[in-house]
Amino acid sequence: MGLLYLLGIIALASCSRGTDAQPKASFQSQSLMRTAPPVPPEAATSDNAPLPHIDSKRAFQYTREVTAFGPRYMGNANHKKLERYITDHLKGDQVEDDAFTADTVEGKFPVRNLIAKFPGTKDGIIVILGHYDTNYPLRNNGYVGANDGGSSTAILLEFANQLRGKKNDGYSVWLVWTDGEEAVKTWSDTDSLYGTRHLAEKWEKDGTLKKIKALMVMDMIGDADLNIDRDTNSTPWLLDLIYAAAERGGYQSHFYARQGAIEDDHIPFVKRGVPSADVIDLDYGYNNVFHHTPQDTMDKLSPKSLEIVGNTILETIHLLDQR
Ligand SMILES: [Zn+2]
């Protein structure tokens, strides 16, 4: 996952919420109240359909299997095995790839975004992304990226299971396993987000971007101590809709206790005006000590966290379909 600025600012809403709650103009920082952020009235609608549920045990098993490949940086043998693992799980689905060569400060790397498309009846697309690469600079230190790279790969595979073979009366849903999210040396605008920078440009040219109703990035969502951050680079109404979905599942205590500006795979799309949200927990271990270290292993993760995020995002899709 990406770089973070300013995280750690405690900024919580202190607005009161109710059926007639109006959108709140701004947060009051340093508030000690842990109450809900503003939800636009149009975002709070619900048809009271039963909450969707992922199979979190299966998603956790996927995370374990992905992590077991070991380091998975762009183009290495483990990465190729993982590409096949993903495409094997998408047999029978409509799958495309966006493959190219990235020219980096560490040389040329093959990059391959994998895209699975699940058609709906409504005109428009909801895109869910998650990166599957691990860091090239960490390739020789035992780093396996269980949470950072593993959990995002796995939750998308489980979303595919949930979307496959079902009649979808809503928007089409596209799942994108992104590649080259991580920097090959030091995070910067030019050394990061190789896959999504390419994909956003491609989709701008071919007109796809205009059809995207919402785009959500899953990253580091497996931490047993789950605290999804409120990313100020994301689109506020979409963050609020995700929160509304979390509330329906009773999961809201895991969302938005902290806020800050986060750079992740959504940024190339944010820059092009696509409504986008980064769903990420950048508080991974005390002071984020497990992040980008060999300590990012399966024992830090929980199926419950995958369930919280998975169910919330499926419900968010449901709420988007009703808008
Ligand atoms: Zn990372």
Side-chain angles (χ1 to χ4, degrees):
M1 59 53 40
L3 189 69
L4 156 92
Y5 297 121
L6 301 174
L7 209 93
I9 294 171
I10 299 167
L12 299 166
S14 59
C15 62
S16 62
R17 288 181 56 266
T19 50
D20 61 346
Q22 292 300 307
K24 194 168 177 299
S26 64
F27 283 157
Q28 296 175 1
S29 62
Q30 308 303 327
S31 165
L32 294 176
M33 290 179 69
R34 192 185 177 100
T35 52
V39 177
E42 72 274 17
T45 57
S46 167
D47 60 2
N48 293 317
L51 283 173
H53 276 83
I54 68 157
D55 183 336
S56 60
K57 275 190 188 158
R58 182 167 56 188
F60 198 67
Q61 179 59 23
Y62 290 155
T63 312
R64 190 182 299 285
E65 289 167 5
V66 169
T67 304
F69 285 117
R72 309 174 295 280
Y73 57 90
M74 290 181 283
N76 84 333
N78 294 340
H79 188 288
K80 288 199 174 67
K81 284 182 202 165
L82 178 54
E83 290 173 45
R84 183 160 307 152
Y85 175 91
I86 294 168
T87 53
D88 280 352
H89 279 80
L90 301 172
K91 287 247 167 76
D93 299 330
Q94 187 186 342
V95 180
E96 293 173 10
D97 70 1
D98 169 39
F100 62 100
T101 301
D103 207 350
T104 81
V105 290
E106 295 285 357
K108 291 188 191 315
F109 289 88
V111 184
R112 189 179 180 207
N113 300 311
L114 295 165
I115 305 157
K117 300 182 175 179
F118 298 89
T121 52
K122 263 183 109 168
D123 194 22
I125 307 162
I126 296 168
V127 182
I128 303 176
L129 307 90
H131 78 94
Y132 71 103
D133 62 308
T134 58
N135 311 55
Y136 179 74
L138 304 176
R139 66 195 176 284
N140 294 322
N141 76 347
Y143 179 75
V144 293
N147 196 25
D148 192 358
S151 68
S152 41
T153 307
I155 196 106
L156 262 64
L157 288 170
E158 177 56 19
F159 285 150
N161 293 337
Q162 298 298 328
L163 295 163
R164 183 177 300 123
K166 283 182 188 159
K167 189 170 179 293
N168 176 9
D169 286 330
Y171 296 118
S172 295
V173 179
W174 292 6
L175 305 176
V176 186
W177 287 261
T178 69
D179 197 5
E181 188 270 344
E182 303 285 5
V184 298
K185 196 167 187 182
T186 308
W187 188 280
S188 70
D189 285 352
T190 51
D191 184 11
S192 66
L193 311 179
Y194 292 97
T196 41
R197 282 190 287 133
H198 188 270
L199 189 63
E201 194 180 331
K202 180 178 158 175
W203 280 356
E204 184 171 46
K205 283 179 186 155
D206 72 11
T208 300
L209 284 194
K210 290 197 193 82
K211 301 177 193 160
I212 300 176
K213 301 297 178 185
L215 179 147
M216 294 178 276
V217 173
M218 308 291 111
D219 201 1
M220 299 176 68
I221 41 82
D223 184 4
D225 180 19
L226 185 70
N227 303 287
I228 300 298
D229 296 303
R230 187 174 171 94
D231 164 42
T232 56
N233 286 330
S234 294
T235 307
W237 71 256
L238 186 54
L239 293 176
D240 295 343
L241 195 70
I242 292 167
Y243 192 91
E247 270 193 313
R248 287 210 67 213
Y251 304 134
Q252 63 272 32
S253 65
H254 297 281
F255 285 76
Y256 304 164
R258 308 187 309 163
Q259 79 168 8
I262 300 172
E263 293 189 7
D264 206 347
D265 268 334
H266 59 317
I267 294 296
F269 301 95
V270 169
K271 284 179 176 168
R272 290 169 171 84
V274 178
S276 305
D278 192 23
V279 177
I280 187 169
D281 173 357
L282 259 181
D283 183 22
Y284 185 34
Y286 179 77
N287 249 349
N288 207 20
V289 289
F290 302 147
H291 183 215
H292 289 175
T293 73
Q295 281 73 53
D296 182 1
T297 46
M298 286 302 295
D299 56 299
K300 316 299 188 307
L301 312 188
S302 164
K304 182 70 188 172
S305 298
L306 299 178
E307 180 176 299
I308 290 166
V309 172
N311 295 356
T312 297
I313 296 308
L314 289 180
E315 177 63 11
T316 304
I317 292 171
H318 183 66
L319 294 177
L320 283 163
D321 285 340
Q322 294 173 65
R323 281 163 64 90

